Amino acid sequence: MRTLLCGGTLALADGAKQGDLLLEDGKIARVGGEIDAPDAQRVDATGCIVLPGAIDTHTHFDLPVSGTVTADDFASGTRAAVLGGTTVVLDFATQEKGHTLAEAFEVWQHKLGRGISCDVGFHMAVTDWNERTSREIDAMTALGVTSYKFYLAYPALMVEDDAIYEALVRLKQAGVIAGFHCENGRLVAALTRQLLASGLTSCRAHPLSRPPEVEAEAIDRLLHIAALAGAPVNIVHLSSKAGLEAVRRARARGQRVFVETCPQYLTMDDAVYAREDGAKFVCSPPLRKAEDCAALWEALANGEIDTIGTDHCSFRYDVQKSGKADFTQIPNGMPGVEHRLALMMTEGVKAGRISLAQLVQMLCENPAKLFGLYPQKGALLPGADADVVLWDPSLRHTITAESQAQRLDYTPLEGVSVCGGVRAVWVRGKCAVDDGKWLGHNLGRYVARTKPIFQEN
Ligand code: MN
Ligand code: MN
């Protein structure tokens, strides 16, 4: 099967270039110039941008959380992803305390069972680091799990400093990478007790229970432990200027630190917690001040941030609002997998804050390299998987709960207008989205990843 995208603007690593793109047997066959392929199905890409399929480095589909479960499972989550131009999501298989990584992997593989619309890989979230866990790392690499995640917050998930150190030494030896949720969980607990005791129980208290200092302290501590272990690390969902400054200090010491941020930390601030429906925005880390957003945009423009994931973790508003009287009862998380590319195109590229080439680096190429998918994915290269997005800058859309594919009764982006939209998407050469509509095929697969590509210092 051959598809020829004609006359579009190709988003290549070294900049945008006018030209054709030929997809053949699931791979990108030829890139650029005028391509003659009379037997191929022709798609007129005039006026459109042709992008590599975007990679979402951070989703939580079908995640059980304190008595409830996320609204999106892998079927609805990957459908929303592909409609928004994302062709790979990296979700988190989560080890339960007392269980093995192999058991976690099997549980999460099973969740893909009902069909997925884009490719899915798993980071492994480790909650119980011990000798047995350490011995499982090579088996996980063989299964295509080459990145890990540790939590410095949440009592049920968090790991202590000695475990972090030992894990980093082991993961470095295995040539794989670890990401960290950086908030000091014990400080959060103390601040929360103080707020509740003083009668501050509404979601206005949520950001006060997890201020920037809580993130910055955790990043500082983690990066000192990483320095001792001599290991590179990835900071997930960086939200604050204070946290960014902690990263800068470690980089100035010569450490290799990767950073992910999320669209919500760039485009929303903590004023929303004073709203009647503030529970919709309860996520951790919380939304920050406008000056934090500005610092993160500047860091994106400077190349200090490597990847943009969504931390998509969706709970219905009717579930979240049941915790309105006590903010600690609101399940933490926001949706986002569907609108990342549109938001970053609008608020980033169209607004002149970042270039199209930077966007492609942060949404496609950097995630592919850091998470062992390059050059199979992440760039328009001959031989790569034909994961391709046709982006039409002339489209206009206002985001509403009604019109979204995310399986939810609200969107935090209600009424937000975006410039441009996804016209079509191919997943390994097969058309998944045409004229902005999902074609109903489950084209996704579990994707086994190789080791990350990064330069040792
Ligand atoms: Mn997190
Ligand atoms: Mn997360």
Side-chain angles (χ1 to χ4, degrees):
M1 195 175 80
R2 278 151 57 102
T3 305
L4 184 64
L5 280 67
C6 305
T9 300
L10 305 176
L12 306 176
D14 54 351
K17 225 172 262 170
Q18 202 73 19
D20 300 345
L21 187 76
L22 181 65
L23 318 182
E24 187 172 41
D25 298 331
K27 301 285 181 189
I28 293 172
R30 289 182 58 192
V31 182
E34 251 181 70
I35 300 171
D36 187 32
D39 59 330
Q41 190 194 352
R42 278 176 73 90
V43 175
D44 183 5
T46 310
C48 292
I49 301 172
V50 180
L51 298 156
I55 299 170
D56 193 332
T57 50
H58 195 148
T59 65
H60 301 278
F61 299 146
D62 204 353
L63 178 71
V65 177
S66 50
T68 184
V69 65
T70 53
D72 282 301
D73 58 15
F74 281 90
S76 70
T78 57
R79 194 184 316 139
V82 80
L83 276 161
T86 291
T87 54
V88 181
V89 302
L90 299 177
D91 206 272
F92 296 84
T94 303
Q95 175 199 31
E96 280 184 57
K97 291 208 159 108
H99 288 229
T100 63
L101 304 184
E103 285 167 319
F105 182 79
E106 203 184 311
V107 167
W108 289 85
Q109 272 290 345
H110 187 74
K111 290 174 190 270
L112 306 183
R114 278 182 290 167
I116 47 178
S117 302
C118 72
D119 286 357
V120 176
F122 293 122
H123 308 286
M124 180 60 70
V126 178
T127 62
D128 201 351
W129 181 262
N130 54 43
E131 274 301 312
R132 183 174 69 173
T133 308
S134 176
R135 282 195 302 272
E136 287 192 271
I137 300 301
D138 294 331
M140 285 297 116
T141 302
L143 291 170
V145 176
T146 54
S147 52
Y148 290 79
K149 161 90 171 284
F150 297 84
Y151 293 86
L152 307 192
Y154 303 124
L157 302 170
M158 61 194 265
V159 290
E160 300 298 332
D161 296 350
D162 51 350
I164 294 170
Y165 175 77
E166 288 168 1
L168 282 176
V169 169
R170 175 70 181 95
L171 297 176
K172 185 195 175 176
Q173 179 205 12
V176 296
I177 184 91
F180 290 82
H181 174 124
C182 290
E183 288 184 299
N184 182 321
R186 287 177 197 275
L187 270 179
V188 171
L191 293 169
T192 301
R193 284 193 295 271
Q194 195 178 27
L195 287 159
L196 293 176
S198 71
L200 261 178
T201 62
S202 79
C203 59
R204 280 171 197 256
H206 175 67
L208 305 176
S209 71
R210 330 176 78 98
E213 290 84 349
V214 161
E215 179 175 69
E217 187 282 335
I219 293 175
D220 257 329
R221 176 164 41 101
L222 168 72
L223 293 178
H224 280 100
I225 298 171
L228 281 176
V233 290
N234 183 33
I235 308 293
V236 305
H237 54 48
L238 179 74
S239 66
S240 65
K241 186 178 181 202
L244 174 65
E245 282 162 357
V247 171
R248 286 177 177 153
R249 285 192 288 277
R251 284 179 174 161
R253 296 194 293 267
Q255 284 181 246
R256 196 78 167 109
V257 185
F258 297 91
V259 176
E260 172 199 76
T261 191
C262 315
Q264 57 269 35
Y265 301 120
L266 297 162
T267 60
M268 292 181 217
D269 66 51
D270 66 0
V272 293
Y273 296 118
R275 280 168 42 173
E276 173 62 21
D277 63 348
K280 292 175 180 170
F281 304 90
V282 168
C283 59
S284 294
L287 303 176
R288 306 294 191 188
K289 304 282 181 209
E291 67 182 68
D292 293 287
C293 302
L296 292 175
W297 276 117
E298 197 187 307
L300 283 181
N302 294 341
E304 293 176 279
I305 290 177
D306 301 282
T307 61
I308 297 170
T310 60
D311 201 4
H312 178 104
C313 189
S314 57
F315 298 100
R316 291 178 58 86
Y317 180 49
D318 54 26
V319 173
Q320 291 190 305
K321 79 179 169 200
S322 66
K324 241 170 86 171
D326 176 356
F327 74 94
T328 65
Q329 300 304 304
I330 302 170
N332 282 212
M334 284 211 289
V337 74
E338 185 173 351
H339 301 118
R340 181 182 58 144
L341 178 59
L343 271 183
M344 294 310 298
M345 276 289 199
T346 304
E347 295 297 325
V349 178
K350 185 116 201 307
R353 293 181 173 113
I354 57 171
S355 68
L356 177 65
Q358 286 178 309
L359 175 134
V360 170
Q361 269 167 22
M362 292 183 283
L363 265 57
C364 311
E365 191 175 328
N366 291 347
K369 286 181 174 168
L370 184 57
F371 296 116
L373 291 165
Y374 193 86
Q376 185 193 346
K377 296 181 187 291
L380 299 177
L381 293 172
D385 284 355
D387 294 351
V388 178
V389 175
L390 191 60
W391 179 263
D392 185 343
S394 74
L395 297 174
R396 292 290 179 273
H397 178 62
T398 300
I399 298 171
T400 62
E402 190 91 344
S403 62
Q404 70 185 343
Q406 296 170 151
R407 191 189 286 157
L408 267 184
D409 54 354
Y410 84 100
T411 159
L413 299 169
E414 187 72 33
V416 170
S417 293
V418 290
C419 295
V422 170
R423 187 170 283 286
V425 180
W426 290 263
V427 173
R428 275 177 277 96
K430 295 205 171 100
C431 192
V433 174
D434 186 30
D435 200 17
K437 307 274 185 309
W438 181 58
L439 295 184
H441 311 308
N442 290 322
L443 299 175
R445 293 180 193 159
Y446 167 72
V447 56
R449 297 176 291 118
T450 56
K451 291 182 186 182
I453 302 173
F454 48 74
Q455 302 291 313
E456 283 284 340
N457 273 358

